[in-house]
Amino acid sequence: MLRHVERFTISPDGLVHYVTYDLRRVSGTTDVAQGAATYGPLIEGRAMPRLLRRRIHKRDGRILAPDAASNAAQDQSDLSQLEQGDYIEQVTEGHALPGDGGQLVIDTWDLLPERTSVREATIEVSRPTSLRLALWSHPLLGAAEQRAEGASTVSVWRIKDQPPRRMEDGVPRVEMGVGVSLGTQTWDHVAAALDENIRALEDRDPYMTRWAREAAGADRTPSPALLERVVAAAGKAIKVAGGAELSDMAALLGGGPQRTTARAMIELGQGSRSWVVYRALRELGVRADLAIAETEPFSSSADFPPHAGRFRHPLVIARLPGGDVWIDADVEGPPLPPGRISPELRGRAAMLPGGELVTVAGTSGETGDEVDLRLAVDVQGNATGTFTILLHGRAAQALSEAFETVVGTARREMLRGVVLGWLPWADVEDVVVSSTEGSWEVALRAAVTIHGFAQPVGKDAAAWTLPGLEPVHLVFPRAYTSTLGASYASRGARKSALAIETALQYHVRRRIELPEGYAVTRAPEGVRVEHAGLAASRKGSYGAAIEEDFALSLPTGTVSIDEYKAFVERVQAVDSGFMAGIRVARPAAPARQAGAAQGPGAAGGARPQAPEKRPQAPEKKP
């Protein structure tokens, strides 16, 4: 990027006028395919952009003004004549007004996408001084230059001679771009929009009254049993679940007349189960609230402007006399029982229609996935045994959904992938589903063989090393094993906060039976890491039969830059402790003969020595 200029002018009446100029050079074939496309600012409101000029400057001095191909299947088709070393010049202009809620949110271009360097770039924002808005800029832009022009305040960010940046993984989505984000939106406005959206979905339909009473049965006393019956009925009525109708995006960017009802969802068999459960509980006289939870970490910066798309997953909170019960029904497969929450949502923030932010927490005790591994090692070092797993969370939900359509050999391979996600080097001889069909949890049982499970040590192979356990295991849709360090701490230092988007929670019991005469000579040290963001432990007893217990809990969340170094140290401690091997001594080989076992010179085993032959002197010739 040789030169880039963005200028935004916000007038007192809310009208936004912006002009952008962009000049960049295409350096390689990848840039020809990807780096040529340039996008304008993202504005949550009513925007009308217009492309004023786009030209291609050739190396031989030619200037092309390409025309967009009509009905082209590929975007940016007017750049089909682009070649390596060409220059692209683009000028855009646009106007925007606040959205239906009267709020305005602006995100500028990402100045440093992948494989991009910047020679000179400027972002300028002029706004009324009296306008209150949240403002965030990427650290690479530095501090803004401020100046006053009458009743307006002008902020300018500059960046010069910036090489391609190191792209970091695990960065919150809203903080990935090197740009400026500003807006008048507040979380109170988001809560008001959610409340209006819920009111727009309300209806008074006798059909829902009859359906709720049939689902509840004869006993309609507010109780956990009543919740279970209503949730099960909603799961049978709605096979394709989704909560898009209740998200903040639908509330902020939607609007207009009522588009759906709980009755329509039941008759179509698709929609939000949470809304159906909420309506049914209200019909039965049970106090209930809707809580819209975030599905991924938001910004780690306190001054980041609120954006649509943070709160997307609806949950129901049933207010029973014995306490609140959370219901997570809009999942793949059958809905979760009342009180159980998907591990990916546990600990995240959720917004109530009144504006209150609460932390998602299920009322039932959760231990994550339960794994039981029983192996018997023979004298050749091969292991055979059984593998049993009880899956919870998104993997179990996705498997339950797949069971509706995947059958035969494809299902068998899918189940084998679950086993290989824990034992990547195993031969899965047989695998069956032991849980009932339509269950929210999936139980598998497999017979496995692991060739070369015990690794010989030394030239004489007088000892074995039994492997530990990799900390990271993902089983669906693709089997994957790794370490925490490789997944979350592959960089020694970071410039952005680390967002953990995949929850890991499991408990593994492992039993290894050794051959007769084999004994453990060096056991791994126990591991115990307890922290708000990470908890792990390894313990066991090491005799003729090795009994070990592994437990790991890594919830989703955000690790700030200040806490990253300590997080890396804890992660490395877990990796070292979990993967530490077990040293096993093999029994001495039986002697072929007693004398051979005692060795030469031993009592009762000495052999007669033959007379020593001395070399004779050569015969002298006369």
Side-chain angles (χ1 to χ4, degrees), residues 484-520:
L484 292 173
S487 302
Y488 302 107
S490 58
R491 303 185 185 274
R494 292 180 64 93
K495 296 182 180 180
S496 304
L498 172 65
I500 301 175
E501 302 181 2
T502 302
L504 298 174
Q505 191 175 21
Y506 59 77
H507 178 213
V508 179
R509 290 178 294 270
R510 185 171 74 164
R511 176 183 174 86
I512 303 175
E513 297 180 1
L514 300 176
E516 184 178 358
Y518 288 65
V520 175

Side-chain angles (χ1 to χ4, degrees), residues 254-299:
Q258 186 179 34
R259 294 183 175 87
T260 186
T261 62
R263 176 178 180 175
M265 296 176 185
I266 293 176
E267 291 181 342
L268 292 176
Q270 61 182 11
S272 175
R273 293 174 182 158
S274 298
W275 179 248
V276 173
V277 171
Y278 171 79
R279 286 283 290 109
L281 294 180
R282 297 289 292 270
E283 291 288 347
L284 296 173
V286 179
R287 291 181 54 238
D289 289 322
L290 282 170
I292 315 302
E294 58 182 3
T295 57
E296 61 183 16
F298 195 63
S299 173

Side-chain angles (χ1 to χ4, degrees), residues 202 207-216 220 226-227 229-231 233-234 262 266 273-288 316:
E202 290 281 1
Y207 176 90
M208 282 305 302
T209 303
R210 185 178 73 251
W211 187 90
R213 293 176 179 176
E214 292 176 354
R220 300 170 188 169
L226 174 65
L227 299 182
R229 293 194 294 270
V230 172
V231 171
I266 293 176
R273 293 174 182 158
S274 298
W275 179 248
V276 173
V277 171
Y278 171 79
R279 286 283 290 109
L281 294 180
R282 297 289 292 270
E283 291 288 347
L284 296 173
V286 179
R287 291 181 54 238
V316 180

Side-chain angles (χ1 to χ4, degrees), residues 408-577:
T409 305
R411 175 181 288 197
R412 177 180 174 84
E413 292 300 317
M414 183 175 64
L415 299 179
R416 289 183 71 253
V418 175
V419 181
L420 295 177
W422 285 90
L423 303 174
W425 307 111
D427 290 338
V428 184
E429 299 174 357
D430 186 29
V431 57
V432 295
V433 179
S434 55
S435 57
T436 59
E437 187 171 350
S439 174
W440 61 275
E441 54 185 2
V442 176
L444 304 180
R445 182 179 177 86
V448 297
T449 299
I450 307 177
H451 298 281
F453 178 75
Q455 295 297 315
V457 178
K459 294 182 179 180
D460 55 353
W464 282 347
T465 297
L466 305 182
L469 183 72
E470 293 87 353
V472 177
H473 299 269
L474 302 178
V475 298
F476 192 84
R478 181 176 63 89
Y480 176 77
T481 60
S482 182
T483 63
L484 292 173
S487 302
Y488 302 107
S490 58
R491 303 185 185 274
R494 292 180 64 93
K495 296 182 180 180
S496 304
L498 172 65
I500 301 175
E501 302 181 2
T502 302
L504 298 174
Q505 191 175 21
Y506 59 77
H507 178 213
V508 179
R509 290 178 294 270
R510 185 171 74 164
R511 176 183 174 86
I512 303 175
E513 297 180 1
L514 300 176
E516 184 178 358
Y518 288 65
V520 175
T521 58
R522 188 179 66 188
E525 296 183 1
V527 178
R528 189 172 186 83
V529 176
E530 292 184 355
H531 193 266
L534 176 63
S537 65
R538 178 185 182 180
K539 57 184 179 180
S541 59
Y542 303 91
I546 300 173
E547 299 275 357
E548 288 189 298
D549 190 278
F550 299 83
L552 175 67
S553 176
L554 179 64
T556 57
T558 303
V559 180
S560 64
I561 301 176
D562 299 334
E563 299 176 351
Y564 181 71
K565 183 178 180 181
F567 175 77
V568 171
E569 294 176 353
R570 292 192 294 269
V571 160
Q572 292 174 346
V574 175
D575 286 342
S576 301

Side-chain angles (χ1 to χ4, degrees), residues 351-362:
M351 176 170 284
L352 300 178
E356 181 184 359
L357 287 177
V358 296
T359 301
V360 178

Side-chain angles (χ1 to χ4, degrees), residues 71-84:
N71 300 323
Q74 184 179 3
D75 194 17
Q76 307 292 337
S77 59
D78 55 339
L79 298 176
S80 59
Q81 294 176 298
L82 197 62
E83 297 176 312
Q84 182 179 353

